[in-house]
Amino acid sequence: ILCMKINNNELYQLIAKLDWQLNMGAEAMVEEEHNNYFNMEKVKTKKGELSTSGISQEINNAYLQEDEKNKGKILQESFDKCLTLEDLKNCMLDFNGCDLKKTATQLVFSDGNPNSNVMVIGEAPGAEEDRQGKPFCGASGKLLDKMLASINLDRNTVYITNVIPWRPPGNRAPTENEISLMKPFLMKHIEIVSPKMLVAVGGSASKAILNIEGGILRYRGVWKEIRLSKSLVIPIISTLHPAYLLRAPNQKKLAWEDLKSIRSKLQELND
Ligand code: URA
């Protein structure tokens, strides 16, 4: 660029184009050529963040089990030993069963206040989230913050995570297999936080948690419940993903209906 003798305007345009390409995941396509996906040595985890906990090893081994019934039992027993968010984060840092880890920069675990009544669950990190290691910190995160602010919530009063903790290359949607692979971690995450309500943002999050079919416009705004144990039943509502609202702003009125419903439910639960 420096050799090209361009004016400031052209330079800003070039930077904006590069930024757009990064957000579309262009670098992931370049990286893919150089990555050997079968070389576990190259699996990226943040340096110094590998845990020494035996639980992670047990979970990794459980995923390698061929017998599905046995696998479920061993997984459950291993997850039962994860008692804190730190335990869970360490297990996810050490988990090698999902290929998305190899192309992502880092694990995107959560943001916000783990003692909140409201837990918001999105789909998967995008480019900015992958860079910062924090969910919903890019363009759709800014809209999510505005949506939350409209009902007096913010990152001190909600806890935010995603179904998938690693950015899918090129911002593609996570596959069903990736979602079912990571679902036990998500369910454990919900159990540890034990919020008073869940907000599933977008179709992927809703389908991962609730066994529902069809488009989100059919079931958004409707309260359902998930049972995690005999004593832990949590109300859940699905709403439209801010990335979708950025593309279809005329649908914001539907999201506003959902936000009002979340506000009323919170009042009801606090009374
Ligand atoms: N979209 C999501 O679903 N999650 C994020 O963290 C960012 C964008």
Side-chain angles (χ1 to χ4, degrees), residues 110-154:
S110 69
D111 193 26
N113 181 352
N115 299 316
S116 310
N117 289 335
V118 185
M119 182 166 177
V120 174
I121 301 169
E123 182 183 85
E128 195 52 37
E129 289 77 17
D130 181 59
R131 264 194 289 273
Q132 292 193 32
K134 208 164 90 170
F136 282 105
C137 59
S140 51
K142 293 205 171 74
L143 180 54
L144 178 67
D145 285 342
K146 284 188 192 158
M147 292 162 74
L148 294 172
S150 72
I151 51 166
N152 284 330
L153 293 174
D154 59 24

